[in-house]
Amino acid sequence: MDLRAYRDIAWNGWWKQNPGVVQILGMCPTLAITTNIVNAVSLGLATVLVMAMSNLASSLLRNFIPYEIRIPVFILIIAALTTVVDLAMNAYLHSLYLVLGIFIPLIVTNCIVLARIEAFAAKNEPLASTLDGAAMGLGATMVLTVLGAMRELIGNGTLFSGIEMVIPGAHEIQVFGGDYPGFLTFILPPGAFFALGCLIAGRNWLEARRQARARSNPPAPQAPEPTSAEPA
C-alpha cells in the first residue's frame, strides 16, 4: 500500500465510516460512560489499544486460522488483549478503574472490535490492519470525548471532572461558576440520546455541505502531457 491508501484508511475511521456517528456501533458504552470527559477519553483510549493490537494479531495469524473457527479465535485474541488492559488499569489507575467498572471487560463484546477484524484485518497486511484499528478506535474516542464534554458542560457546568484520578493534584474546571444549578437531563440517559442525535445530525450536515461544494466545484480536467513528435 502507498501513502494515499494509508491516508484513506485513517480518513475512513475518523470521518467517513466513524463507528459512533455513521455506523452507530457500540452504543452501550457510548451512552453509559460519557457523563464526563475523563471517563469518555479513558474508555476510548483503552478501546483504541485493544482494537489496534487485535487487528495486528489477527492480521499476522490470519493465514494460520481455519475459516470455520475464525470467529472464536478472533474473540479469544480480543479477550486476551482486553484482559491485559483491564489488569493494567486496575494496577496503575485503580480509582478510574473502579469508576469505569464493567465497561473495560465489556470491550470484548464491543461489536466495533470484532467487526473491524472480520471486515479488514482478516484480509489485509499487518501495518494497514493496525492503522485501521487505531483509526476506528480514535474515531470512536472522538465521539465519546465530544459527547462527554457536551453532557458534562451542560449537565454540571464543569469540564474534566474526575481528572484527579488520572493526574494527582489536578482539579476540574468550573466553567459556569459554582452556583450553576446544572441540567440533570443531560447527565441522565435521555440526555445521552439527545446529545448523540445532535452529533449525528451535525456530522451529516457537514458531510452534505462538503459533497455540495465538491459538486459545485469539480476538479479541473488535466491537460494531456505533450508528446514529442518523431522526426520525419
Side-chain angles (χ1 to χ4, degrees), residues 57-113:
S58 300
S59 179
L60 290 171
L61 298 174
R62 69 186 189 278
N63 294 326
F64 304 98
I65 301 173
Y67 182 80
E68 294 77 10
I69 62 170
R70 71 191 189 287
I71 298 299
V73 174
F74 291 157
I75 293 176
L76 182 62
I77 293 172
I78 298 169
L81 293 169
T82 302
T83 302
V84 173
V85 173
D86 181 76
L87 294 175
M89 290 192 69
N90 191 10
Y92 298 106
L93 297 169
H94 186 67
S95 298
L96 181 62
Y97 174 81
L98 295 177
V99 172
L100 297 179
I102 192 62
F103 290 101
I104 296 296
L106 281 181
I107 294 175
V108 177
T109 63
N110 195 322
C111 50
I112 302 173
V113 187

Side-chain angles (χ1 to χ4, degrees), residues 4-184:
R4 182 175 181 179
Y6 291 125
R7 187 168 60 247
D8 290 341
I9 291 173
W11 178 249
N12 189 58
W14 295 337
W15 184 259
K16 190 175 180 180
Q17 290 295 325
N18 185 285
V21 293
V22 178
Q23 301 184 64
I24 319 296
L25 297 175
M27 288 297 98
C28 179
T30 298
L31 299 176
I33 209 67
T34 54
T35 53
N36 60 55
I37 295 179
V38 173
N39 293 352
V41 173
S42 301
L43 183 62
L45 293 179
T47 305
V48 170
L49 183 59
V50 172
M51 288 190 69
M53 298 307 296
S54 296
N55 272 23
L56 174 61
S58 300
S59 179
L60 290 171
L61 298 174
R62 69 186 189 278
N63 294 326
F64 304 98
I65 301 173
Y67 182 80
E68 294 77 10
I69 62 170
R70 71 191 189 287
I71 298 299
V73 174
F74 291 157
I75 293 176
L76 182 62
I77 293 172
I78 298 169
L81 293 169
T82 302
T83 302
V84 173
V85 173
D86 181 76
L87 294 175
M89 290 192 69
N90 191 10
Y92 298 106
L93 297 169
H94 186 67
S95 298
L96 181 62
Y97 174 81
L98 295 177
V99 172
L100 297 179
I102 192 62
F103 290 101
I104 296 296
L106 281 181
I107 294 175
V108 177
T109 63
N110 195 322
C111 50
I112 302 173
V113 187
L114 182 60
R116 295 319 300 171
I117 292 178
E118 177 70 9
F120 196 94
K123 305 178 182 68
N124 291 276
E125 62 179 359
L127 181 57
S129 299
T130 305
L131 177 60
D132 177 79
M136 285 288 172
L138 288 172
T141 302
M142 179 175 63
V143 173
L144 291 172
T145 303
V146 176
L147 192 59
M150 289 174 60
R151 295 181 66 192
E152 181 182 0
L153 183 61
I154 299 174
N156 289 329
T158 63
L159 288 176
F160 301 103
S161 176
I163 189 64
E164 66 278 359
M165 295 184 295
V166 181
I167 305 175
H171 300 283
E172 65 183 29
I173 302 173
Q174 291 283 348
V175 179
F176 298 141
D179 56 347
Y180 179 68
F183 191 4
L184 183 60

